Amino acid sequence: MMKKIAVFRALQLGDMLCAIPAIRSLRIAHPKAHITLLGLPWAKDLVQRFNQYFDAFIPFPGFPGLPEQEVDVRQLPAFFTAMQQQEFSLVLQMQGNGSIVNPMVALMGARHTAGFWRKADYCPDPDHYLEYPDTVPEVIRHLMLMEHLGIKPQGEQLEFPLTPQDQKELQTAHLKLKYPYVCVHPGSRGAWRQWPPAAFAVVADKIAEMGYQVVLTGTADEHPLMAAVADQMQNPSLNTAGKTNLGAMGVLLKGAAMLLSNCTGVAHMADALQTPSVIISMDGEALRWAALDTELHRTIDWTKEQDITAVTAAAQSLLAERLGKLPTQPLARFF
């Protein structure tokens, strides 16, 4: 009988990309398994992008105590009934430390469950649950879980596959790009994780003075934030608020000389695409979320080092190292 595996990780883009090395290992270890992602509704598109690893997607309706989405508890009985009818061989709990979700995952009725747990909490199966390692990077944490389950890790590199449609989406946005350019991303999902626009403007001006076009990136909702950066800059910039979907943003990042950003999903995309980056970590979790390649990606922990000159120096140093390696015109293909 073919194995049916469900991966429960109902989180946002950066969280999902950090789990891809573990999912890659899972797929290589079980090439004929049917692997389903149980995730937030937006992740349906992610499953399509990573169709070499996932076979199906089931939207998660939320659960009391989980902050990522509002929950309608009236949907939960039908959801758990549907999960039980799936008759999964294994449900992998890759959401977090398990304090809330491990009992919930048990309700899915899989033959086995596995994942993370804390000693103070309920553990469904000590043989298949790994005590949650607090002090390691997110990518390594999930590879440790794979090793605990007897699955050989298949590298630490993140991925973000690009498609011809992604390139078409960027072309139809009709952005007035000038090569070389640097992407500056001042937004993030939580305001507490956003470096001040004035600070972004200072560093962006230094980048512009080095001869790079400054391209401000973000969603339509982030337009006021991006406009605040542009207004405080002494040099011109290109505001692309709301003009790129996720795929087009990937192509835009791939062609960039560098990304300057808060620690958010776009930062992990740059890691996956091997675009150099300078990332400002505002939440005190730099160890958890920083890229593992510290030469190509420089993370500034703002909770420990509130020095804008350090950010400027990191950007200038990284760009200087990239001289002679940058595109001077649009690249035809990235895939």
Side-chain angles (χ1 to χ4, degrees), residues 242-264:
K243 295 181 180 179
T244 56
N245 61 14
L246 190 61
M249 182 66 207
V251 179
L252 184 64
L253 272 177
K254 184 65 176 178
M258 193 190 78
L259 168 71
L260 173 66
S261 174
N262 294 303
C263 186
T264 188

Side-chain angles (χ1 to χ4, degrees), residues 8-261:
F8 175 63
R9 190 161 173 83
L11 297 170
Q12 301 298 338
L13 175 63
D15 308 88
M16 300 306 302
L17 294 183
C18 285
I20 289 298
I23 302 299
R24 178 172 63 234
S25 303
L26 177 68
R27 169 54 78 195
I28 292 173
H30 298 283
K32 295 183 179 180
H34 186 275
I35 301 177
T36 299
L37 175 65
L38 309 180
L40 298 180
W42 76 269
K44 179 179 180 180
D45 292 338
L46 188 84
V47 166
Q48 294 173 351
R49 187 170 298 277
F50 286 93
N51 58 15
Q52 74 273 40
Y53 299 146
F54 296 109
D55 300 292
F57 172 72
I58 296 176
F60 176 63
F63 193 77
L66 297 183
E68 287 76 23
Q69 64 188 126
E70 293 185 6
V71 57
D72 182 350
V73 295
R74 294 170 297 182
Q75 297 183 36
L76 293 180
F79 171 75
F80 287 115
T81 297
M83 293 303 95
Q84 292 163 15
Q85 291 172 347
Q86 289 280 340
E87 297 184 341
F88 289 115
S89 308
L90 172 68
V91 174
L92 270 174
Q93 189 280 100
M94 297 176 67
Q95 178 81 0
N97 63 29
S99 60
I100 294 174
V101 299
N102 282 349
M104 182 204 75
V105 167
L107 295 174
M108 296 182 185
R111 190 177 311 149
H112 299 285
T113 63
F116 297 108
W117 75 296
R118 298 189 310 178
K119 284 186 175 179
D121 300 319
Y122 167 69
C123 179
D125 184 347
D127 290 336
H128 294 107
Y129 279 75
L130 175 67
E131 186 176 355
Y132 188 75
D134 273 315
T135 57
V136 298
E138 188 76 1
V139 172
I140 301 301
R141 175 180 293 118
H142 290 90
L143 290 175
M144 290 172 65
L145 176 60
M146 294 300 108
E147 287 190 285
H148 181 73
L149 298 173
I151 295 173
K152 182 180 178 181
Q154 300 292 330
E156 300 171 349
Q157 178 60 43
L158 273 58
E159 299 179 37
F160 191 85
L162 296 173
T163 69
Q165 181 61 31
D166 295 332
Q167 190 143 11
K168 182 179 179 180
E169 293 286 350
L170 182 62
Q171 291 170 346
T172 57
H174 300 297
L175 303 181
K176 297 180 180 179
L177 294 174
K178 299 176 183 177
Y179 288 76
Y181 64 86
V182 169
C183 292
V184 176
H185 193 86
S188 69
R189 190 163 294 274
W192 68 92
R193 295 165 56 191
Q194 294 174 1
W195 206 38
F200 271 110
V202 169
V203 181
D205 270 326
K206 295 296 184 182
I207 291 170
E209 289 164 9
M210 294 179 70
Y212 296 91
Q213 182 188 34
V214 172
V215 179
L216 301 173
T217 63
T219 65
D221 290 341
E222 292 170 330
H223 185 276
L225 183 64
M226 297 159 67
V229 175
D231 289 346
Q232 295 178 75
M233 288 180 61
Q234 302 302 309
N235 294 279
S237 61
L238 176 63
N239 191 327
T240 68
K243 295 181 180 179
T244 56
N245 61 14
L246 190 61
M249 182 66 207
V251 179
L252 184 64
L253 272 177
K254 184 65 176 178
M258 193 190 78
L259 168 71
L260 173 66
S261 174

Side-chain angles (χ1 to χ4, degrees), residues 17 24 156-162 250-259 266-278 291-293 295-297 318 322 325-327 331 334:
L17 294 183
R24 178 172 63 234
E156 300 171 349
Q157 178 60 43
L158 273 58
E159 299 179 37
F160 191 85
L162 296 173
V251 179
L252 184 64
L253 272 177
K254 184 65 176 178
M258 193 190 78
L259 168 71
V266 170
H268 300 294
M269 288 176 65
D271 185 0
L273 295 166
Q274 299 185 48
T275 295
S277 64
V278 175
L292 299 180
D293 184 346
E295 291 299 317
L296 195 62
H297 308 284
L318 200 52
R322 298 288 293 169
K325 303 177 183 179
L326 303 174
L331 300 181
F334 296 124

